[in-house]
Amino acid sequence: EVQLVESGGGLVKPGRSLRLSCTGSGFIFGDYAMSWSRQAPGKGLEWVGLIRSTTYYGGTREYAASVKGRFTISRDDSKSIAYLQMNSLKTEDTAVYYCSTSMVTTHYFDYWAQGTLVTVSS
Amino acid sequence: EIVLTQSPATLSLSPGERATLSCRASQSVSSSLAWYQHKPGQVPRLLIYDASNRATGIPARFSGSGSGTDFTLTISSLEPEDFAVYYCQQRSFLYTFGPGTKVDIK
């Protein structure tokens, strides 16, 4: 059974850093892209970024303009974990963060983790 | 950046009625568009991908159409569990979600 489990959310002060983890199981982790999206309170979904498959695309990364230069996505395929390193956090980064992968449909987000809340507040 | 707009923002319907949701892209995305359903406290669920293909396990009452810049999600007869927020998403250039359409009970 394919599963994605997130961890690492919490309360953090503006300007500080936080790292989220997304652990996969039930599939060959290195073969699939991992994406991060978020939903701020009362708002819609926003794509944050992705890291492509190590096996097929060398683990290249893309980011939304709103987080580029502050957020970094990485992966450790030996542990089946994807990371979202968030630096210089702003209050507007407060959101539920979701990781997801594209297994069946290749490019769309067909498996999602449960989400983890990040609150940026002084 | 490709911007997606969705209309209407809210759709108030009764169970059994037909729902028609629209998504428009700021430039052509070909058929690289998906629809997701999102309920409070749950994770988003992929419904439709590549504009018109139903994802695994999605009931036949959900259908998608369109290409280029104009897309439609149709729910032929609303079931009680279909009241939710629906997002379109493009993957033609990176990814963008639309602002969502809330389908609520009339």
Side-chain angles (χ1 to χ4, degrees), chain A residues 37 39 44-47 50 62 98 104-105 107-110 112-114, chain B residues 32-34 36 38 42-44 46 49-50 56 87 89 91 94-95 97:
Chain A
S37 303
Q39 184 177 36
L45 294 171
E46 179 188 16
W47 176 73
L50 68 85
E62 306 286 356
Y98 297 98
V104 178
T105 58
H107 296 293
Y108 299 96
F109 306 163
D110 39 42
W112 295 69
Q114 81 281 10
Chain B
S32 300
L33 189 112
Y36 295 81
H38 196 194
Q42 297 186 20
V43 301
L46 177 66
Y49 67 96
D50 287 341
T56 304
Y87 296 94
Q89 178 206 46
R91 70 155 195 93
L94 300 183
Y95 290 92
F97 287 100

PDB file of all heavy atoms in Angstrom, chain A residues 37 39 44-47 50 62 98 104-105 107-110 112-114, chain B residues 32-34 36 38 42-44 46 49-50 56 87 89 91 94-95 97:
ATOM      1  N   SER A  37       2.751  21.183  -1.734  1.00  0.00           N
ATOM      2  CA  SER A  37       1.717  22.203  -1.917  1.00  0.00           C
ATOM      3  C   SER A  37       1.322  22.690  -0.537  1.00  0.00           C
ATOM      4  O   SER A  37       1.676  22.077   0.474  1.00  0.00           O
ATOM      5  CB  SER A  37       0.491  21.628  -2.648  1.00  0.00           C
ATOM      6  OG  SER A  37       0.846  21.081  -3.898  1.00  0.00           O
ATOM      7  N   GLN A  39      -1.868  25.107   1.830  1.00  0.00           N
ATOM      8  CA  GLN A  39      -3.143  25.798   1.902  1.00  0.00           C
ATOM      9  C   GLN A  39      -3.133  26.691   3.127  1.00  0.00           C
ATOM     10  O   GLN A  39      -3.143  26.193   4.260  1.00  0.00           O
ATOM     11  CB  GLN A  39      -4.320  24.821   1.970  1.00  0.00           C
ATOM     12  CG  GLN A  39      -5.673  25.523   1.946  1.00  0.00           C
ATOM     13  CD  GLN A  39      -6.841  24.564   1.931  1.00  0.00           C
ATOM     14  OE1 GLN A  39      -6.809  23.508   2.542  1.00  0.00           O
ATOM     15  NE2 GLN A  39      -7.890  24.940   1.214  1.00  0.00           N
ATOM     16  N   GLY A  44      -7.053  28.954  -0.902  1.00  0.00           N
ATOM     17  CA  GLY A  44      -7.017  27.782  -1.748  1.00  0.00           C
ATOM     18  C   GLY A  44      -5.664  27.097  -1.744  1.00  0.00           C
ATOM     19  O   GLY A  44      -4.748  27.465  -1.000  1.00  0.00           O
ATOM     20  N   LEU A  45      -5.536  26.088  -2.584  1.00  0.00           N
ATOM     21  CA  LEU A  45      -4.288  25.345  -2.695  1.00  0.00           C
ATOM     22  C   LEU A  45      -3.259  26.152  -3.481  1.00  0.00           C
ATOM     23  O   LEU A  45      -3.595  26.836  -4.447  1.00  0.00           O
ATOM     24  CB  LEU A  45      -4.527  24.014  -3.399  1.00  0.00           C
ATOM     25  CG  LEU A  45      -5.393  22.999  -2.659  1.00  0.00           C
ATOM     26  CD1 LEU A  45      -5.728  21.823  -3.584  1.00  0.00           C
ATOM     27  CD2 LEU A  45      -4.684  22.498  -1.409  1.00  0.00           C
ATOM     28  N   GLU A  46      -2.014  26.042  -3.072  1.00  0.00           N
ATOM     29  CA  GLU A  46      -0.905  26.695  -3.772  1.00  0.00           C
ATOM     30  C   GLU A  46       0.216  25.675  -3.938  1.00  0.00           C
ATOM     31  O   GLU A  46       0.676  25.090  -2.954  1.00  0.00           O
ATOM     32  CB  GLU A  46      -0.388  27.912  -3.001  1.00  0.00           C
ATOM     33  CG  GLU A  46       0.781  28.604  -3.682  1.00  0.00           C
ATOM     34  CD  GLU A  46       1.414  29.693  -2.833  1.00  0.00           C
ATOM     35  OE1 GLU A  46       1.161  29.740  -1.606  1.00  0.00           O
ATOM     36  OE2 GLU A  46       2.191  30.498  -3.382  1.00  0.00           O
ATOM     37  N   TRP A  47       0.674  25.474  -5.157  1.00  0.00           N
ATOM     38  CA  TRP A  47       1.826  24.610  -5.396  1.00  0.00           C
ATOM     39  C   TRP A  47       3.084  25.329  -4.930  1.00  0.00           C
ATOM     40  O   TRP A  47       3.274  26.519  -5.209  1.00  0.00           O
ATOM     41  CB  TRP A  47       1.918  24.278  -6.879  1.00  0.00           C
ATOM     42  CG  TRP A  47       3.124  23.478  -7.232  1.00  0.00           C
ATOM     43  CD1 TRP A  47       3.351  22.160  -6.966  1.00  0.00           C
ATOM     44  CD2 TRP A  47       4.287  23.954  -7.909  1.00  0.00           C
ATOM     45  NE1 TRP A  47       4.581  21.796  -7.438  1.00  0.00           N
ATOM     46  CE2 TRP A  47       5.177  22.870  -8.025  1.00  0.00           C
ATOM     47  CE3 TRP A  47       4.678  25.192  -8.433  1.00  0.00           C
ATOM     48  CZ2 TRP A  47       6.413  22.973  -8.648  1.00  0.00           C
ATOM     49  CZ3 TRP A  47       5.908  25.304  -9.053  1.00  0.00           C
ATOM     50  CH2 TRP A  47       6.763  24.205  -9.150  1.00  0.00           C
ATOM     51  N   LEU A  50       8.729  21.120  -6.427  1.00  0.00           N
ATOM     52  CA  LEU A  50       8.865  19.686  -6.645  1.00  0.00           C
ATOM     53  C   LEU A  50      10.334  19.307  -6.804  1.00  0.00           C
ATOM     54  O   LEU A  50      11.184  20.144  -7.120  1.00  0.00           O
ATOM     55  CB  LEU A  50       8.078  19.234  -7.877  1.00  0.00           C
ATOM     56  CG  LEU A  50       8.551  19.698  -9.250  1.00  0.00           C
ATOM     57  CD1 LEU A  50       9.649  18.807  -9.841  1.00  0.00           C
ATOM     58  CD2 LEU A  50       7.375  19.713 -10.234  1.00  0.00           C
ATOM     59  N   GLU A  62      12.122  22.376  -9.002  1.00  0.00           N
ATOM     60  CA  GLU A  62      11.414  23.572  -9.461  1.00  0.00           C
ATOM     61  C   GLU A  62      10.683  24.171  -8.264  1.00  0.00           C
ATOM     62  O   GLU A  62      10.254  23.450  -7.370  1.00  0.00           O
ATOM     63  CB  GLU A  62      10.392  23.237 -10.555  1.00  0.00           C
ATOM     64  CG  GLU A  62      10.926  22.474 -11.747  1.00  0.00           C
ATOM     65  CD  GLU A  62      11.759  23.314 -12.690  1.00  0.00           C
ATOM     66  OE1 GLU A  62      11.875  24.542 -12.476  1.00  0.00           O
ATOM     67  OE2 GLU A  62      12.301  22.732 -13.654  1.00  0.00           O
ATOM     68  N   TYR A  98       1.345  20.047   2.322  1.00  0.00           N
ATOM     69  CA  TYR A  98       1.112  18.687   1.863  1.00  0.00           C
ATOM     70  C   TYR A  98       2.251  18.251   0.931  1.00  0.00           C
ATOM     71  O   TYR A  98       2.645  19.024   0.052  1.00  0.00           O
ATOM     72  CB  TYR A  98      -0.165  18.589   1.044  1.00  0.00           C
ATOM     73  CG  TYR A  98      -1.448  18.909   1.752  1.00  0.00           C
ATOM     74  CD1 TYR A  98      -2.027  20.175   1.637  1.00  0.00           C
ATOM     75  CD2 TYR A  98      -2.130  17.941   2.487  1.00  0.00           C
ATOM     76  CE1 TYR A  98      -3.243  20.467   2.253  1.00  0.00           C
ATOM     77  CE2 TYR A  98      -3.342  18.230   3.108  1.00  0.00           C
ATOM     78  CZ  TYR A  98      -3.878  19.491   2.985  1.00  0.00           C
ATOM     79  OH  TYR A  98      -5.080  19.782   3.590  1.00  0.00           O
ATOM     80  N   VAL A 104       0.421   7.058 -10.516  1.00  0.00           N
ATOM     81  CA  VAL A 104      -0.414   6.432 -11.546  1.00  0.00           C
ATOM     82  C   VAL A 104      -0.487   7.312 -12.782  1.00  0.00           C
ATOM     83  O   VAL A 104      -0.393   6.827 -13.906  1.00  0.00           O
ATOM     84  CB  VAL A 104      -1.823   6.156 -10.995  1.00  0.00           C
ATOM     85  CG1 VAL A 104      -2.706   5.567 -12.068  1.00  0.00           C
ATOM     86  CG2 VAL A 104      -1.745   5.253  -9.771  1.00  0.00           C
ATOM     87  N   THR A 105      -0.634   8.605 -12.575  1.00  0.00           N
ATOM     88  CA  THR A 105      -0.884   9.523 -13.688  1.00  0.00           C
ATOM     89  C   THR A 105       0.389  10.194 -14.196  1.00  0.00           C
ATOM     90  O   THR A 105       0.314  11.049 -15.059  1.00  0.00           O
ATOM     91  CB  THR A 105      -1.885  10.606 -13.267  1.00  0.00           C
ATOM     92  OG1 THR A 105      -1.355  11.305 -12.139  1.00  0.00           O
ATOM     93  CG2 THR A 105      -3.223  10.000 -12.902  1.00  0.00           C
ATOM     94  N   HIS A 107       2.178  12.686 -13.939  1.00  0.00           N
ATOM     95  CA  HIS A 107       2.458  14.107 -13.736  1.00  0.00           C
ATOM     96  C   HIS A 107       1.514  14.796 -12.768  1.00  0.00           C
ATOM     97  O   HIS A 107       1.735  15.960 -12.432  1.00  0.00           O
ATOM     98  CB  HIS A 107       2.414  14.857 -15.065  1.00  0.00           C
ATOM     99  CG  HIS A 107       3.459  14.421 -16.039  1.00  0.00           C
ATOM    100  ND1 HIS A 107       4.799  14.641 -15.827  1.00  0.00           N
ATOM    101  CD2 HIS A 107       3.363  13.760 -17.215  1.00  0.00           C
ATOM    102  CE1 HIS A 107       5.471  14.142 -16.847  1.00  0.00           C
ATOM    103  NE2 HIS A 107       4.639  13.607 -17.695  1.00  0.00           N
ATOM    104  N   TYR A 108       0.462  14.118 -12.329  1.00  0.00           N
ATOM    105  CA  TYR A 108      -0.502  14.762 -11.445  1.00  0.00           C
ATOM    106  C   TYR A 108      -0.392  14.163 -10.059  1.00  0.00           C
ATOM    107  O   TYR A 108       0.225  13.132  -9.856  1.00  0.00           O
ATOM    108  CB  TYR A 108      -1.912  14.613 -12.024  1.00  0.00           C
ATOM    109  CG  TYR A 108      -2.058  15.272 -13.373  1.00  0.00           C
ATOM    110  CD1 TYR A 108      -1.927  14.531 -14.544  1.00  0.00           C
ATOM    111  CD2 TYR A 108      -2.282  16.635 -13.474  1.00  0.00           C
ATOM    112  CE1 TYR A 108      -2.025  15.141 -15.784  1.00  0.00           C
ATOM    113  CE2 TYR A 108      -2.397  17.244 -14.715  1.00  0.00           C
ATOM    114  CZ  TYR A 108      -2.265  16.493 -15.860  1.00  0.00           C
ATOM    115  OH  TYR A 108      -2.366  17.103 -17.087  1.00  0.00           O
ATOM    116  N   PHE A 109      -1.030  14.788  -9.093  1.00  0.00           N
ATOM    117  CA  PHE A 109      -0.813  14.443  -7.687  1.00  0.00           C
ATOM    118  C   PHE A 109      -1.859  13.426  -7.247  1.00  0.00           C
ATOM    119  O   PHE A 109      -2.918  13.800  -6.744  1.00  0.00           O
ATOM    120  CB  PHE A 109      -0.856  15.704  -6.828  1.00  0.00           C
ATOM    121  CG  PHE A 109       0.090  16.796  -7.268  1.00  0.00           C
ATOM    122  CD1 PHE A 109      -0.094  18.093  -6.820  1.00  0.00           C
ATOM    123  CD2 PHE A 109       1.159  16.531  -8.107  1.00  0.00           C
ATOM    124  CE1 PHE A 109       0.776  19.107  -7.213  1.00  0.00           C
ATOM    125  CE2 PHE A 109       2.030  17.530  -8.507  1.00  0.00           C
ATOM    126  CZ  PHE A 109       1.839  18.831  -8.067  1.00  0.00           C
ATOM    127  N   ASP A 110      -1.545  12.152  -7.434  1.00  0.00           N
ATOM    128  CA  ASP A 110      -2.540  11.134  -7.135  1.00  0.00           C
ATOM    129  C   ASP A 110      -2.413  10.505  -5.756  1.00  0.00           C
ATOM    130  O   ASP A 110      -3.317   9.808  -5.317  1.00  0.00           O
ATOM    131  CB  ASP A 110      -2.610  10.053  -8.235  1.00  0.00           C
ATOM    132  CG  ASP A 110      -1.253   9.687  -8.788  1.00  0.00           C
ATOM    133  OD1 ASP A 110      -0.301   9.558  -7.996  1.00  0.00           O
ATOM    134  OD2 ASP A 110      -1.162   9.525 -10.027  1.00  0.00           O
ATOM    135  N   TRP A 112      -1.365  11.706  -1.693  1.00  0.00           N
ATOM    136  CA  TRP A 112      -1.077  12.848  -0.827  1.00  0.00           C
ATOM    137  C   TRP A 112      -0.814  12.373   0.596  1.00  0.00           C
ATOM    138  O   TRP A 112      -1.418  11.402   1.062  1.00  0.00           O
ATOM    139  CB  TRP A 112      -2.265  13.807  -0.788  1.00  0.00           C
ATOM    140  CG  TRP A 112      -2.603  14.481  -2.072  1.00  0.00           C
ATOM    141  CD1 TRP A 112      -3.117  13.906  -3.202  1.00  0.00           C
ATOM    142  CD2 TRP A 112      -2.475  15.875  -2.368  1.00  0.00           C
ATOM    143  NE1 TRP A 112      -3.309  14.845  -4.176  1.00  0.00           N
ATOM    144  CE2 TRP A 112      -2.926  16.076  -3.693  1.00  0.00           C
ATOM    145  CE3 TRP A 112      -2.022  16.981  -1.651  1.00  0.00           C
ATOM    146  CZ2 TRP A 112      -2.934  17.338  -4.311  1.00  0.00           C
ATOM    147  CZ3 TRP A 112      -2.042  18.231  -2.253  1.00  0.00           C
ATOM    148  CH2 TRP A 112      -2.494  18.399  -3.572  1.00  0.00           C
ATOM    149  N   ALA A 113       0.053  13.105   1.274  1.00  0.00           N
ATOM    150  CA  ALA A 113       0.213  12.879   2.707  1.00  0.00           C
ATOM    151  C   ALA A 113      -0.889  13.629   3.445  1.00  0.00           C
ATOM    152  O   ALA A 113      -1.647  14.388   2.849  1.00  0.00           O
ATOM    153  CB  ALA A 113       1.578  13.359   3.164  1.00  0.00           C
ATOM    154  N   GLN A 114      -0.924  13.442   4.741  1.00  0.00           N
ATOM    155  CA  GLN A 114      -2.027  13.945   5.555  1.00  0.00           C
ATOM    156  C   GLN A 114      -1.983  15.451   5.790  1.00  0.00           C
ATOM    157  O   GLN A 114      -2.983  16.035   6.194  1.00  0.00           O
ATOM    158  CB  GLN A 114      -2.050  13.217   6.923  1.00  0.00           C
ATOM    159  CG  GLN A 114      -1.071  13.748   7.964  1.00  0.00           C
ATOM    160  CD  GLN A 114       0.369  13.289   7.771  1.00  0.00           C
ATOM    161  OE1 GLN A 114       0.736  12.702   6.747  1.00  0.00           O
ATOM    162  NE2 GLN A 114       1.207  13.531   8.791  1.00  0.00           N
TER     163      GLN A 114
ATOM    164  N   SER B  32      -3.188  19.727 -20.560  1.00  0.00           N
ATOM    165  CA  SER B  32      -2.444  19.465 -19.318  1.00  0.00           C
ATOM    166  C   SER B  32      -3.145  20.076 -18.111  1.00  0.00           C
ATOM    167  O   SER B  32      -2.619  20.962 -17.430  1.00  0.00           O
ATOM    168  CB  SER B  32      -1.020  20.000 -19.454  1.00  0.00           C
ATOM    169  OG  SER B  32      -0.352  19.365 -20.520  1.00  0.00           O
ATOM    170  N   LEU B  33      -4.340  19.601 -17.852  1.00  0.00           N
ATOM    171  CA  LEU B  33      -5.145  20.161 -16.775  1.00  0.00           C
ATOM    172  C   LEU B  33      -5.811  19.060 -15.977  1.00  0.00           C
ATOM    173  O   LEU B  33      -6.255  18.059 -16.533  1.00  0.00           O
ATOM    174  CB  LEU B  33      -6.213  21.107 -17.341  1.00  0.00           C
ATOM    175  CG  LEU B  33      -6.943  21.879 -16.250  1.00  0.00           C
ATOM    176  CD1 LEU B  33      -6.615  23.350 -16.294  1.00  0.00           C
ATOM    177  CD2 LEU B  33      -8.424  21.614 -16.284  1.00  0.00           C
ATOM    178  N   ALA B  34      -5.857  19.271 -14.665  1.00  0.00           N
ATOM    179  CA  ALA B  34      -6.482  18.307 -13.761  1.00  0.00           C
ATOM    180  C   ALA B  34      -7.523  19.009 -12.901  1.00  0.00           C
ATOM    181  O   ALA B  34      -7.517  20.236 -12.759  1.00  0.00           O
ATOM    182  CB  ALA B  34      -5.421  17.668 -12.864  1.00  0.00           C
ATOM    183  N   TYR B  36      -9.277  18.580  -8.917  1.00  0.00           N
ATOM    184  CA  TYR B  36      -9.184  17.961  -7.609  1.00  0.00           C
ATOM    185  C   TYR B  36     -10.415  18.347  -6.786  1.00  0.00           C
ATOM    186  O   TYR B  36     -10.947  19.449  -6.905  1.00  0.00           O
ATOM    187  CB  TYR B  36      -7.951  18.439  -6.839  1.00  0.00           C
ATOM    188  CG  TYR B  36      -6.638  18.032  -7.463  1.00  0.00           C
ATOM    189  CD1 TYR B  36      -6.102  18.759  -8.525  1.00  0.00           C
ATOM    190  CD2 TYR B  36      -5.933  16.927  -7.002  1.00  0.00           C
ATOM    191  CE1 TYR B  36      -4.903  18.387  -9.104  1.00  0.00           C
ATOM    192  CE2 TYR B  36      -4.729  16.548  -7.576  1.00  0.00           C
ATOM    193  CZ  TYR B  36      -4.219  17.285  -8.626  1.00  0.00           C
ATOM    194  OH  TYR B  36      -3.023  16.912  -9.201  1.00  0.00           O
ATOM    195  N   HIS B  38     -11.621  18.786  -2.781  1.00  0.00           N
ATOM    196  CA  HIS B  38     -11.038  18.961  -1.463  1.00  0.00           C
ATOM    197  C   HIS B  38     -12.134  19.232  -0.449  1.00  0.00           C
ATOM    198  O   HIS B  38     -12.903  20.196  -0.594  1.00  0.00           O
ATOM    199  CB  HIS B  38     -10.026  20.117  -1.468  1.00  0.00           C
ATOM    200  CG  HIS B  38      -9.124  20.112  -0.288  1.00  0.00           C
ATOM    201  ND1 HIS B  38      -8.337  21.196   0.053  1.00  0.00           N
ATOM    202  CD2 HIS B  38      -8.845  19.161   0.642  1.00  0.00           C
ATOM    203  CE1 HIS B  38      -7.643  20.903   1.136  1.00  0.00           C
ATOM    204  NE2 HIS B  38      -7.927  19.673   1.499  1.00  0.00           N
ATOM    205  N   GLN B  42      -9.696  16.856   5.027  1.00  0.00           N
ATOM    206  CA  GLN B  42      -9.234  15.741   4.207  1.00  0.00           C
ATOM    207  C   GLN B  42      -8.153  16.224   3.249  1.00  0.00           C
ATOM    208  O   GLN B  42      -7.928  17.423   3.100  1.00  0.00           O
ATOM    209  CB  GLN B  42     -10.396  15.137   3.415  1.00  0.00           C
ATOM    210  CG  GLN B  42     -11.484  14.533   4.282  1.00  0.00           C
ATOM    211  CD  GLN B  42     -12.539  13.808   3.464  1.00  0.00           C
ATOM    212  OE1 GLN B  42     -12.321  13.432   2.309  1.00  0.00           O
ATOM    213  NE2 GLN B  42     -13.709  13.590   4.062  1.00  0.00           N
ATOM    214  N   VAL B  43      -7.470  15.263   2.618  1.00  0.00           N
ATOM    215  CA  VAL B  43      -6.487  15.645   1.611  1.00  0.00           C
ATOM    216  C   VAL B  43      -7.190  15.799   0.275  1.00  0.00           C
ATOM    217  O   VAL B  43      -8.244  15.204   0.048  1.00  0.00           O
ATOM    218  CB  VAL B  43      -5.341  14.604   1.511  1.00  0.00           C
ATOM    219  CG1 VAL B  43      -4.639  14.472   2.849  1.00  0.00           C
ATOM    220  CG2 VAL B  43      -5.830  13.273   1.005  1.00  0.00           C
ATOM    221  N   PRO B  44      -6.627  16.608  -0.606  1.00  0.00           N
ATOM    222  CA  PRO B  44      -7.213  16.727  -1.944  1.00  0.00           C
ATOM    223  C   PRO B  44      -7.235  15.382  -2.659  1.00  0.00           C
ATOM    224  O   PRO B  44      -6.371  14.526  -2.427  1.00  0.00           O
ATOM    225  CB  PRO B  44      -6.272  17.716  -2.642  1.00  0.00           C
ATOM    226  CG  PRO B  44      -5.666  18.496  -1.530  1.00  0.00           C
ATOM    227  CD  PRO B  44      -5.500  17.517  -0.404  1.00  0.00           C
ATOM    228  N   LEU B  46      -7.520  13.603  -6.486  1.00  0.00           N
ATOM    229  CA  LEU B  46      -7.471  13.784  -7.931  1.00  0.00           C
ATOM    230  C   LEU B  46      -8.702  13.150  -8.562  1.00  0.00           C
ATOM    231  O   LEU B  46      -8.982  11.983  -8.332  1.00  0.00           O
ATOM    232  CB  LEU B  46      -6.196  13.152  -8.502  1.00  0.00           C
ATOM    233  CG  LEU B  46      -6.035  13.190 -10.019  1.00  0.00           C
ATOM    234  CD1 LEU B  46      -5.871  14.618 -10.511  1.00  0.00           C
ATOM    235  CD2 LEU B  46      -4.833  12.329 -10.434  1.00  0.00           C
ATOM    236  N   TYR B  49      -7.610  13.983 -14.908  1.00  0.00           N
ATOM    237  CA  TYR B  49      -6.298  14.424 -15.367  1.00  0.00           C
ATOM    238  C   TYR B  49      -6.265  14.464 -16.885  1.00  0.00           C
ATOM    239  O   TYR B  49      -7.084  13.828 -17.544  1.00  0.00           O
ATOM    240  CB  TYR B  49      -5.186  13.534 -14.803  1.00  0.00           C
ATOM    241  CG  TYR B  49      -5.202  12.114 -15.318  1.00  0.00           C
ATOM    242  CD1 TYR B  49      -4.403  11.716 -16.380  1.00  0.00           C
ATOM    243  CD2 TYR B  49      -6.025  11.154 -14.723  1.00  0.00           C
ATOM    244  CE1 TYR B  49      -4.433  10.415 -16.847  1.00  0.00           C
ATOM    245  CE2 TYR B  49      -6.064   9.860 -15.181  1.00  0.00           C
ATOM    246  CZ  TYR B  49      -5.258   9.495 -16.241  1.00  0.00           C
ATOM    247  OH  TYR B  49      -5.282   8.203 -16.695  1.00  0.00           O
ATOM    248  N   ASP B  50      -5.315  15.231 -17.409  1.00  0.00           N
ATOM    249  CA  ASP B  50      -5.236  15.449 -18.861  1.00  0.00           C
ATOM    250  C   ASP B  50      -6.602  15.834 -19.424  1.00  0.00           C
ATOM    251  O   ASP B  50      -7.008  15.355 -20.478  1.00  0.00           O
ATOM    252  CB  ASP B  50      -4.656  14.224 -19.570  1.00  0.00           C
ATOM    253  CG  ASP B  50      -3.159  14.075 -19.319  1.00  0.00           C
ATOM    254  OD1 ASP B  50      -2.513  15.071 -18.928  1.00  0.00           O
ATOM    255  OD2 ASP B  50      -2.638  12.968 -19.498  1.00  0.00           O
ATOM    256  N   THR B  56      -8.226   6.850 -11.053  1.00  0.00           N
ATOM    257  CA  THR B  56      -8.636   5.544 -10.544  1.00  0.00           C
ATOM    258  C   THR B  56      -9.690   5.674  -9.456  1.00  0.00           C
ATOM    259  O   THR B  56      -9.534   6.456  -8.513  1.00  0.00           O
ATOM    260  CB  THR B  56      -7.415   4.805  -9.963  1.00  0.00           C
ATOM    261  OG1 THR B  56      -6.409   4.725 -10.969  1.00  0.00           O
ATOM    262  CG2 THR B  56      -7.787   3.418  -9.504  1.00  0.00           C
ATOM    263  N   TYR B  87     -10.809  22.301  -7.368  1.00  0.00           N
ATOM    264  CA  TYR B  87      -9.711  23.097  -7.922  1.00  0.00           C
ATOM    265  C   TYR B  87      -9.290  22.532  -9.273  1.00  0.00           C
ATOM    266  O   TYR B  87      -9.177  21.308  -9.424  1.00  0.00           O
ATOM    267  CB  TYR B  87      -8.486  23.043  -7.009  1.00  0.00           C
ATOM    268  CG  TYR B  87      -8.691  23.660  -5.651  1.00  0.00           C
ATOM    269  CD1 TYR B  87      -9.069  22.883  -4.551  1.00  0.00           C
ATOM    270  CD2 TYR B  87      -8.491  25.020  -5.440  1.00  0.00           C
ATOM    271  CE1 TYR B  87      -9.254  23.439  -3.301  1.00  0.00           C
ATOM    272  CE2 TYR B  87      -8.668  25.590  -4.188  1.00  0.00           C
ATOM    273  CZ  TYR B  87      -9.054  24.798  -3.130  1.00  0.00           C
ATOM    274  OH  TYR B  87      -9.233  25.354  -1.895  1.00  0.00           O
ATOM    275  N   GLN B  89      -6.011  22.535 -11.950  1.00  0.00           N
ATOM    276  CA  GLN B  89      -4.548  22.633 -11.838  1.00  0.00           C
ATOM    277  C   GLN B  89      -3.954  22.413 -13.211  1.00  0.00           C
ATOM    278  O   GLN B  89      -4.323  21.468 -13.901  1.00  0.00           O
ATOM    279  CB  GLN B  89      -4.024  21.565 -10.884  1.00  0.00           C
ATOM    280  CG  GLN B  89      -2.511  21.520 -10.714  1.00  0.00           C
ATOM    281  CD  GLN B  89      -2.005  20.136 -10.299  1.00  0.00           C
ATOM    282  OE1 GLN B  89      -2.405  19.117 -10.859  1.00  0.00           O
ATOM    283  NE2 GLN B  89      -1.133  20.099  -9.312  1.00  0.00           N
ATOM    284  N   ARG B  91      -0.408  21.769 -15.554  1.00  0.00           N
ATOM    285  CA  ARG B  91       0.986  21.296 -15.463  1.00  0.00           C
ATOM    286  C   ARG B  91       1.734  21.552 -16.776  1.00  0.00           C
ATOM    287  O   ARG B  91       2.745  20.946 -17.046  1.00  0.00           O
ATOM    288  CB  ARG B  91       1.022  19.805 -15.134  1.00  0.00           C
ATOM    289  CG  ARG B  91       0.549  18.911 -16.253  1.00  0.00           C
ATOM    290  CD  ARG B  91       1.177  17.526 -16.104  1.00  0.00           C
ATOM    291  NE  ARG B  91       1.033  16.743 -17.316  1.00  0.00           N
ATOM    292  CZ  ARG B  91       1.962  16.710 -18.265  1.00  0.00           C
ATOM    293  NH1 ARG B  91       3.084  17.405 -18.177  1.00  0.00           N
ATOM    294  NH2 ARG B  91       1.782  15.951 -19.329  1.00  0.00           N
ATOM    295  N   LEU B  94       5.375  24.262 -15.125  1.00  0.00           N
ATOM    296  CA  LEU B  94       5.365  24.013 -13.679  1.00  0.00           C
ATOM    297  C   LEU B  94       3.931  23.647 -13.287  1.00  0.00           C
ATOM    298  O   LEU B  94       3.277  22.905 -13.999  1.00  0.00           O
ATOM    299  CB  LEU B  94       5.905  25.224 -12.933  1.00  0.00           C
ATOM    300  CG  LEU B  94       7.346  25.632 -13.290  1.00  0.00           C
ATOM    301  CD1 LEU B  94       7.808  26.813 -12.439  1.00  0.00           C
ATOM    302  CD2 LEU B  94       8.315  24.466 -13.143  1.00  0.00           C
ATOM    303  N   TYR B  95       3.475  24.135 -12.150  1.00  0.00           N
ATOM    304  CA  TYR B  95       2.110  23.829 -11.709  1.00  0.00           C
ATOM    305  C   TYR B  95       1.475  25.093 -11.156  1.00  0.00           C
ATOM    306  O   TYR B  95       2.127  25.921 -10.525  1.00  0.00           O
ATOM    307  CB  TYR B  95       2.122  22.777 -10.595  1.00  0.00           C
ATOM    308  CG  TYR B  95       2.528  21.386 -11.035  1.00  0.00           C
ATOM    309  CD1 TYR B  95       3.850  20.980 -10.966  1.00  0.00           C
ATOM    310  CD2 TYR B  95       1.579  20.482 -11.506  1.00  0.00           C
ATOM    311  CE1 TYR B  95       4.216  19.706 -11.367  1.00  0.00           C
ATOM    312  CE2 TYR B  95       1.943  19.198 -11.907  1.00  0.00           C
ATOM    313  CZ  TYR B  95       3.260  18.835 -11.837  1.00  0.00           C
ATOM    314  OH  TYR B  95       3.627  17.566 -12.233  1.00  0.00           O
ATOM    315  N   PHE B  97      -2.525  26.053  -9.292  1.00  0.00           N
ATOM    316  CA  PHE B  97      -3.917  25.738  -8.976  1.00  0.00           C
ATOM    317  C   PHE B  97      -4.790  26.960  -9.238  1.00  0.00           C
ATOM    318  O   PHE B  97      -4.341  28.107  -9.067  1.00  0.00           O
ATOM    319  CB  PHE B  97      -4.063  25.384  -7.480  1.00  0.00           C
ATOM    320  CG  PHE B  97      -3.510  24.039  -7.106  1.00  0.00           C
ATOM    321  CD1 PHE B  97      -2.258  23.925  -6.520  1.00  0.00           C
ATOM    322  CD2 PHE B  97      -4.254  22.886  -7.300  1.00  0.00           C
ATOM    323  CE1 PHE B  97      -1.750  22.684  -6.151  1.00  0.00           C
ATOM    324  CE2 PHE B  97      -3.763  21.637  -6.933  1.00  0.00           C
ATOM    325  CZ  PHE B  97      -2.505  21.542  -6.368  1.00  0.00           C
TER     326      PHE B  97
END
